[in-house]
Amino acid sequence: MNQRLFAEEMWKSLLDKLYEGKMVSTFKGKEAFRVVSFSDEGVIVRLSSKEKDVFLSKKAMVNVIEKLIAHEDGVRKKMVDPEFRLKLGLFLLHPWTEKVERHEGGKRRSYLVLTGEARQQLASGQ
């Protein structure tokens, strides 16, 4: 399976796991957000602490998938970026991803990675 097809497949299967009102933890798990609506164009979510909707476009989400494909050691954006925490939180729902922790400079850092099975599927072209 080529990378573009893999990304499309992953995006579609993520949409299959969503429903309006679904509560999702942010990537750091300190806050939750609710899925307001979703379509092939993207996902609208609302943070529990704010009455503000955030639109996570398909393009932005596919960008995360492409980073997951490119970086075998995982994706870790600055965790101060709330939008990135939401994107990674949504992708934690996907069975092709997992959260791993690494020790760096005496601190534990969380990364999102593709599972070994997902990487095999991507490499084998299935």
Side-chain angles (χ1 to χ4, degrees), residues 106-125:
K107 293 184 179 180
R108 288 172 33 184
R109 305 277 189 206
S110 295
Y111 286 82
L112 185 69
V113 297
L114 286 178
T115 62
E117 186 179 317
R119 288 219 174 266
Q120 283 180 337
Q121 186 175 341
L122 183 60
S124 71

Side-chain angles (χ1 to χ4, degrees), residues 13-32:
S13 60
L14 175 67
L15 291 181
D16 289 344
K17 305 204 173 343
L18 300 181
Y19 55 86
E20 288 184 18
K22 183 173 183 68
M23 294 296 290
V24 182
S25 288
T26 62
F27 188 66
K28 294 217 42 161
K30 293 184 178 179
E31 187 171 20

Side-chain angles (χ1 to χ4, degrees), residues 57-102:
S57 70
K58 175 183 177 180
K59 183 178 179 184
M61 300 293 276
V62 169
N63 187 35
V64 175
I65 297 170
E66 288 170 354
K67 286 179 179 164
L68 281 169
I69 291 168
H71 302 289
E72 289 201 29
D73 57 344
V75 170
R76 179 183 177 270
K77 193 82 167 185
K78 286 188 186 290
M79 294 304 166
V80 294
D81 178 354
E83 191 174 303
F84 211 79
R85 287 198 302 264
L86 304 182
K87 292 174 199 170
L88 294 180
L90 279 169
F91 277 118
L92 271 176
L93 297 174
H94 202 289
W96 294 354
T97 65
E98 60 188 340
K99 188 176 186 178
V100 296
E101 291 195 347
R102 299 196 178 100

Side-chain angles (χ1 to χ4, degrees), residues 31-32 34 46-54 82 85:
E31 187 171 20
R34 184 170 52 84
R46 182 175 297 165
L47 283 164
S48 302
S49 63
K50 299 179 179 129
E51 287 301 310
K52 181 181 171 193
D53 292 349
V54 179
R85 287 198 302 264

